[in-house]
Amino acid sequence: NSMINRAGMLLALGRYQEAQGILAEASEKAAKVGNKQLQVSITLQQAKAALSQLNFSEAKTKSSGALDLAIASQFSGSIIEGKQILGLAMTLSSKKRDGINLCKEALELAEQLKDPWEISKARLTLAGALLESGDTENALTNALAAQETFTRTLQQDWEWQALLIAARALQQKGDTGKAGEYAKRSADLL
């Protein structure tokens, strides 16, 4: 698990090659011991890396594989995350309706778990997908709902992203003054 966390931090810093090496090593170790949950987590990290590099085909392939294994093994947190990654990859690669539906499914599953952290992450992902599809009103609503939870729980690494989506939605709606406020808050947190 520490290898996955380390790789996640390297991915956040844009150090993809180092992260991929760590994930490959972790994947070998997980396969040797037959740890399916660890394999799913590693594959989801690889999918996130592909998504952040705009390699939508790889992101879809990795997240679909992880999602299938997570569903078969009933790893609810991984199912939510897999649907989020796959949903965003589909939304960004011209399958907007299918992508948004997957993001909505992820939010519904998170709400069933009654986990505020999972709900907020799923809501943020949905907000991003809605924004990409041009639904600025619902993108704004979901981004601000997620942002409120991230603010309350001091999750600044997520809060700035919610504020950025809200700023982009407001910009698209023509409210440049409010968009500027949210963009500045987002930049300050980042």
Side-chain angles (χ1 to χ4, degrees):
N1 232 357
S2 65
M3 292 177 82
I4 295 172
N5 292 337
R6 190 167 149 225
M9 292 306 298
L10 289 169
L11 290 172
L13 294 170
R15 294 167 57 181
Y16 298 107
Q17 194 168 3
E18 287 176 75
Q20 291 296 2
I22 291 169
L23 290 173
E25 182 183 343
S27 183
E28 284 179 31
K29 289 180 179 183
K32 281 183 184 176
V33 297
N35 187 328
K36 289 182 183 178
Q37 178 66 60
L38 197 54
Q39 290 172 316
V40 168
S41 295
I42 292 164
T43 306
L44 288 173
Q45 282 289 355
Q46 292 169 328
K48 282 186 214 175
L51 184 60
S52 72
Q53 295 175 82
L54 306 180
N55 184 344
F56 303 127
S57 176
E58 179 76 8
K60 288 189 276 189
T61 300
K62 292 283 187 188
S63 59
S64 288
L67 187 55
D68 289 343
L69 185 55
I71 290 170
S73 302
Q74 298 180 345
F75 301 143
S76 48
S78 296
I79 294 170
I80 293 168
E81 187 175 9
K83 285 180 182 270
Q84 291 171 350
I85 297 168
L86 182 57
L88 267 182
M90 293 177 82
T91 300
L92 293 168
S93 67
S94 75
K95 295 191 177 194
K96 293 183 186 332
R97 185 178 312 144
D98 293 337
I100 289 169
N101 286 338
L102 279 168
C103 291
K104 285 179 179 177
E105 288 174 18
L107 178 56
E108 289 169 6
L109 287 171
E111 287 172 339
Q112 289 172 13
L113 293 178
K114 297 181 184 345
D115 181 338
W117 172 240
E118 289 294 337
I119 292 168
S120 296
K121 288 191 308 181
R123 198 173 291 287
L124 180 63
T125 303
L126 177 59
L130 291 166
L131 184 64
E132 290 299 323
S133 72
D135 186 350
T136 56
E137 192 62 43
N138 285 316
L140 180 61
T141 299
N142 281 284
L144 292 176
Q147 180 263 327
E148 185 274 322
T149 301
F150 296 140
T151 301
R152 188 171 23 84
T153 58
L154 305 175
Q155 299 291 323
Q156 291 180 336
D157 52 331
W158 290 86
E159 182 183 2
W160 75 265
Q161 295 175 64
L163 288 166
L164 181 60
I165 290 173
R168 289 180 57 211
L170 286 163
Q171 182 72 35
Q172 287 182 17
K173 289 177 65 163
D175 190 344
T176 56
K178 194 93 165 156
E181 285 177 39
Y182 281 106
K184 181 176 179 349
R185 287 176 55 199
S186 175
D188 290 346
L189 283 171
L190 178 60

